[in-house]
Amino acid sequence: MASKQGSGRRRSNYSEYMDRRIPRTGKKPLPEPTHVGHFVLMVVMKLCRTVLFIDTAVKIGVYLIGVMVGSVICDLFMVPKSYFSDKRNILNQYFVKLGWGWTLIFVTTYVALTSWVYCCGQWASVKRHLLRMLVATLQWYVCVTAFRHIENRVGMCTDSEHSDRISCTAQGKGWLGFDISGHVFLLIHNLLTMSEEVKSFKEWRRLGELLEDELLQSKRKVTAQEISHTKTSYKELTPYIKAVFIVIAMLAVLWEFMLLITVIYRFHTLTQKVTAAFIAVFCWFTSYRMLYRSNIEWLPTQPGVSPFEFMKIT
């Protein structure tokens, strides 16, 4: 009896010893449950990426065709009046009329935060990225001013006693001129600028993975100090960058909705709206497809240009 107990005890000890030596090959442990807030953020970011990461060339095609088709529909059919057909609606008064201001604030914030990260905090490089917003502002101002000048030069008052638009409208008369749609130009200009500037966020996760590479210093022309600075700023600023990215996506949806409203209601003729749309595309082409690709040191550079080369520059 004692020998049996001794034999059983030895087998038990041997089994415990082998359990410690041989790892178990069962199922992998389940990941920790996702927090509701984190899940909601993932969904929101996915939707924002869907809105903003459509190829810019595709957007241009959609906007141009949409403006032409919508204007034709507007001329052929009477679109029922609604709250948005009134120019005094809240979205028009407080968002569209201040549209470039809203776009400038949030896109400039995004460019400043992201370029500070991927330019290793080098202020000279950050300024070259911020200069793009100055160019976009000049384009907006010059074009809107030119539209007003053209309307005054080629127009005429319904009362021949008044030769300029201001005095004509002040007397309650009608001014007949070629009024290029400032709203169509502004909204497409906003949308194309945002589409180009947020491209760096498409590869933002790759930048984070690149910073964890122990051989990064030998693969890129960066110093250990620059890598350390970028790692720190990446971790600290990414939450703020995500927040600004979400706001920009919300603005993009609003601008596209208001572009639709501007097109389908008779605020301007087809020719006036199509002209404005093509001018906005021309501004985008001269800047993002010509000026920023010139690689001249004192001119703005393309979005995402960085010593880390974390995204493809076209």
Side-chain angles (χ1 to χ4, degrees):
M1 185 70 178
S3 62
K4 288 184 179 180
Q5 290 178 349
S7 175
R9 193 178 298 111
R10 284 193 296 270
R11 283 196 296 270
S12 177
N13 293 338
Y14 179 78
S15 298
E16 291 175 2
Y17 172 76
M18 293 303 295
D19 286 344
R20 290 194 296 269
R21 289 283 307 273
I22 302 174
R24 295 187 177 275
T25 58
K27 295 182 178 179
K28 294 182 179 179
L30 294 174
E32 295 182 4
T34 303
H35 189 272
V36 175
H38 181 65
F39 174 76
V40 172
L41 178 61
M42 289 173 59
V43 173
V44 171
M45 291 301 296
K46 176 64 176 178
L47 293 174
C48 292
R49 287 172 176 271
T50 302
V51 170
L52 292 175
F53 289 159
I54 298 173
D55 187 74
T56 307
V58 174
K59 288 186 177 183
I60 289 173
V62 171
Y63 295 153
L64 292 178
I65 294 173
V67 169
M68 288 186 281
V69 173
S71 299
V72 170
I73 293 174
C74 169
D75 290 342
L76 294 178
F77 305 99
M78 179 64 70
V79 180
K81 290 186 177 181
S82 68
Y83 172 74
F84 297 106
S85 63
D86 186 349
K87 292 183 178 180
R88 293 169 294 183
N89 71 75
I90 190 171
L91 294 181
N92 187 59
Q93 290 292 322
Y94 296 102
F95 288 93
V96 177
K97 286 189 175 181
L98 303 173
W100 181 244
W102 288 111
T103 302
L104 184 63
I105 289 171
F106 290 104
V107 176
T108 301
T109 302
Y110 173 85
V111 174
L113 292 175
T114 53
S115 61
W116 180 262
V117 174
Y118 61 67
C119 290
C120 311
Q122 297 176 3
W123 179 236
S125 298
V126 174
K127 282 194 296 185
R128 288 192 68 192
H129 287 286
L130 289 174
L131 278 175
R132 292 194 302 271
M133 302 314 299
L134 176 61
V135 172
T137 302
L138 288 174
Q139 289 175 330
W140 162 77
Y141 179 79
V142 169
C143 289
V144 171
T145 303
F147 295 167
R148 293 172 182 168
H149 182 71
I150 291 170
E151 184 186 8
N152 288 331
R153 292 289 295 177
V154 304
M156 60 181 294
C157 186
T158 53
D159 186 346
S160 58
E161 295 182 0
H162 305 284
S163 58
D164 63 280
R165 181 176 178 273
I166 295 176
S167 61
C168 177
T169 54
Q171 295 299 319
K173 306 300 181 179
W175 181 262
L176 306 176
F178 189 65
D179 182 17
I180 301 174
S181 178
H183 275 40
V184 170
F185 166 79
L186 169 67
L187 293 169
I188 295 180
H189 181 59
N190 289 351
L191 288 163
L192 296 183
T193 301
M194 291 190 294
S195 178
E196 290 290 343
E197 292 299 334
V198 298
K199 284 183 176 180
S200 59
F201 196 75
K202 193 173 185 179
E203 302 293 339
W204 199 250
R205 184 177 298 175
R206 183 173 183 271
L207 174 60
E209 295 172 352
L210 196 63
L211 291 171
E212 299 301 325
D213 188 348
E214 296 180 356
L215 301 177
L216 178 60
Q217 193 171 346
S218 62
K219 295 178 180 179
R220 301 288 190 272
K221 296 180 181 179
V222 290
T223 64
Q225 184 179 359
E226 289 173 335
I227 295 173
S228 176
H229 177 278
T230 305
K231 278 185 178 181
T232 303
S233 56
Y234 181 90
K235 292 178 181 178
E236 292 178 350
L237 297 181
T238 293
Y240 300 102
I241 292 170
K242 287 183 177 180
V244 177
F245 181 80
I246 292 171
V247 175
I248 292 175
M250 294 170 63
L251 277 178
V253 172
L254 176 60
W255 296 157
E256 289 181 339
F257 173 73
M258 293 309 295
L259 178 62
L260 174 64
I261 295 298
T262 302
V263 168
I264 65 175
Y265 287 108
R266 294 181 179 178
F267 299 125
H268 295 272
T269 65
L270 183 150
T271 307
Q272 294 167 353
K273 287 181 278 192
V274 171
T275 301
F278 273 99
I279 292 174
V281 174
F282 177 75
C283 289
W284 164 82
F285 182 81
T286 55
S287 54
Y288 288 96
R289 290 297 178 268
M290 295 177 64
L291 183 64
Y292 305 153
R293 290 183 176 184
S294 63
N295 294 323
I296 299 175
E297 290 186 4
W298 53 272
L299 288 177
T301 187
Q302 295 186 74
V305 171
S306 163
F308 293 102
E309 301 176 4
F310 68 99
M311 62 177 286
K312 183 179 179 181
I313 306 297
T314 56

